[in-house]
Amino acid sequence: MSDIQFESDNMNFIRRGTAGPTIGSGGKKGMSGWLIAHGLARSENTAQYILVGFIIFNFVVSLILLKYFGVI
């Protein structure tokens, strides 16, 4: 019974210490890296502000649509 070896015994499901996928120049990752790569932001801090503004904008538009269709 000890001769049985499962595939999951040899696999690393969680790799600690990896940074994840990088996008754009300078090794920035995620959506902020995408904004920097496409010239929409100059720094990661500016990209974060743009993303927060985008989230707030979407929240306001969602509330307006919910009121318009009578859900709220």
Side-chain angles (χ1 to χ4, degrees):
M1 191 71 156
S2 63
D3 295 336
I4 298 174
Q5 186 175 12
F6 296 100
E7 287 183 26
S8 61
D9 292 341
N10 294 331
M11 300 175 108
N12 262 339
F13 288 107
I14 300 173
R15 291 190 291 174
R16 300 185 190 274
T18 58
T22 58
I23 298 173
S25 62
K28 306 293 183 202
K29 65 178 185 175
M31 293 175 64
S32 59
W34 186 87
L35 287 172
I36 294 169
H38 285 81
L40 299 172
R42 291 187 180 170
S43 68
E44 194 168 5
N45 195 24
T46 306
Q48 294 292 328
Y49 283 123
I50 292 171
L51 292 172
V52 168
F54 184 72
I55 290 170
I56 292 171
F57 173 76
N58 283 324
F59 184 70
V60 170
V61 168
S62 297
L63 286 176
I64 291 170
L65 288 174
L66 288 172
K67 279 195 175 258
Y68 178 77
F69 288 111
V71 176
I72 294 179

